[in-house]
């Protein structure tokens, strides 16, 4: 209802909406609540472009909505793959789809004609960064056309939680991981600046960037990532007792 109201404002200017950039669009409760699906329904009704980022296979449920939007150049989907190590995945993302299932989801989306990408995220130096090339290779084989990555940062609300988790599961790597996180964050543990918060800075961040870019070139990813079409947008019809003229 809130989305429909916002899209109906006279001052609204259409540009692609990203679902899942702040938190996953397909939380476990989405199976029961269907909130993400209802949002896609409104966007589909209005021919509004969107991108989806998720680490869940539940996105496959909404192919009936996404496929028609694809034909109008209105949608792109990115599947987040953090690691192919099942033990690390279970420890770090216990409620998310298994790594192999995420690769399968990329394949399912690609087979349905959905422009699909992979997000290697978050990259945690000295914990999962060695898997960058493997993840991109597997995602490409599954049909991914685009790729991106995000470097881990530790804002205040998650800093202590991550440190406790790391100390519990990987005590021998704790010092090295934290040192590298501080290296990519200019001596700090987080960086809120828009220009650097996604990739980091410094020698470790530069090396990761070079490796990622090299693997992207080798796998022929990001060759043609066109802009989604915002020109088709039409405001949602208002609920009223008055009949439409046409």
């Amino acid at each position: 209802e809130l989305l429909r109201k916002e899209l109906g404002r006279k001052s609204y200017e259409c540009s692609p909406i990203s679902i899942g950039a702040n938190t996953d669009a397909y939380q476990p409760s989405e199976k029961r609540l269907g909130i993400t699906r209802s949002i896609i329904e409104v966007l589909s009704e209005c021919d509004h472009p969107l991108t989806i980022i998720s680490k869940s296979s539940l996105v496959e449920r909404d192919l009936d909505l996404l496929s028609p939007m694809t034909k109008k150049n209105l949608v792109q989907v990115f599947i987040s793959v953090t690691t192919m190590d099942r033990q690390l995945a279970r420890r770090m993302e216990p409620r998310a789809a298994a790594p192999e299932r995420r690769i399968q989801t990329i394949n399912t989306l690609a087979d349905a004609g959905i422009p699909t990408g992979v997000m290697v995220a978050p990259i945690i130096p000295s914990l999962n960064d060695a898997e960058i090339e493997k993840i991109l290779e597997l995602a490409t084989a599954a049909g991914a056309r685009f790729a991106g990555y995000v470097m881990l940062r530790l804002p205040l609300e998650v800093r202590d939680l991550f440190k406790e988790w790391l100390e519990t599961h990987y005590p021998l790597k704790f010092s090295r991981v934290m040192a590298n996180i501080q290296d990519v964050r200019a001596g700090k543990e987080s960086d809120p600046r828009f220009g650097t918060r996604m990739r980091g800075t410094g020698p470790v961040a530069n090396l990761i960037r070079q490796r990622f870019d090299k693997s992207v070139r080798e796998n022929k990813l990001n060759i043609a990532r066109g802009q989604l079409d915002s020109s088709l947008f039409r405001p949602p019809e208002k609920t009223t007792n008055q009949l439409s003229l046409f």
Side-chain angles (χ1 to χ4, degrees):
E1 290 81 1
L2 292 173
L3 176 61
R4 186 179 294 275
K5 181 179 179 180
E6 179 66 23
L7 298 184
R9 294 181 184 274
K10 291 183 179 181
S11 60
Y12 181 77
E13 296 184 8
C14 178
S15 63
I17 289 177
S18 179
I19 304 177
N22 225 23
T23 189
D24 202 296
Y26 289 92
Q27 300 286 340
S29 59
E30 170 63 17
K31 290 182 179 180
R32 175 173 53 88
L33 298 176
I35 295 173
T36 295
R37 182 174 176 85
S38 68
I39 290 172
I40 298 174
E41 286 173 341
V42 173
L43 296 176
S44 175
E45 173 191 332
C46 299
D47 283 337
H48 194 299
L50 76 150
T51 61
I52 296 174
I53 305 172
S54 180
K55 59 187 66 174
S56 171
S57 60
L58 187 57
V59 65
E60 297 172 349
R61 176 201 64 186
D62 296 332
L63 279 174
D64 61 316
L65 296 172
L66 299 175
S67 292
M69 296 180 74
T70 296
K71 297 176 182 178
K72 300 179 181 180
N73 188 28
L74 294 175
V75 64
Q76 294 175 351
V77 178
F78 284 80
I79 298 300
S80 175
V81 181
T82 313
T83 177
M84 294 306 299
D85 183 332
R86 298 199 71 174
Q87 184 179 62
L88 175 58
R90 283 195 299 267
R91 289 174 174 175
M92 186 158 52
E93 301 166 325
R95 296 195 299 165
E100 295 84 357
R101 184 69 180 91
R102 300 188 208 184
I103 297 297
Q104 181 184 340
T105 298
I106 292 175
N107 185 245
T108 300
L109 293 169
D111 283 350
I114 310 293
T116 308
V118 60
M119 286 294 293
V120 187
I123 291 179
I124 306 173
S126 297
L127 192 61
N128 70 340
D129 60 300
E131 299 186 71
I132 292 173
E133 291 82 1
K134 181 178 181 181
I135 291 172
L136 292 185
E137 181 180 351
L138 290 171
T140 300
R145 294 159 50 185
F146 321 117
Y149 75 92
V150 177
M151 190 77 69
L152 179 75
R153 64 188 182 96
L154 298 175
L156 182 62
E157 58 268 25
V158 299
R159 185 179 306 160
D160 291 342
L161 180 65
F162 176 80
K163 288 182 178 180
E164 180 182 349
W165 175 87
L166 185 61
E167 183 71 55
T168 299
H169 295 288
Y170 298 98
L172 299 181
K173 293 185 177 183
F174 182 89
S175 296
R176 184 178 180 186
V177 170
M178 292 308 304
N180 280 332
I181 290 174
Q182 292 174 1
D183 184 274
V184 303
R185 297 302 178 190
K188 301 179 181 179
E189 294 172 347
S190 185
D191 180 1
R193 295 175 298 170
F194 181 78
T196 58
R197 67 187 181 195
M198 306 298 281
R199 302 294 182 88
T201 59
V204 173
N206 289 338
L207 179 59
I208 288 174
R209 184 181 300 108
Q210 292 168 12
R211 288 176 48 209
F212 179 86
D213 290 345
K214 181 175 184 289
S215 186
V216 163
R217 290 193 301 270
E218 291 175 346
N219 288 287
K220 297 181 172 57
L221 295 164
N222 295 343
I223 292 178
R225 185 182 173 189
Q227 295 294 319
L228 296 176
D229 191 353
S230 297
S231 67
L232 301 177
F233 171 72
R234 58 186 188 279
E237 294 185 5
K238 295 182 179 180
T239 303
T240 174
N241 292 328
Q242 183 175 350
L243 295 177
S244 172
L245 180 62
F246 301 102

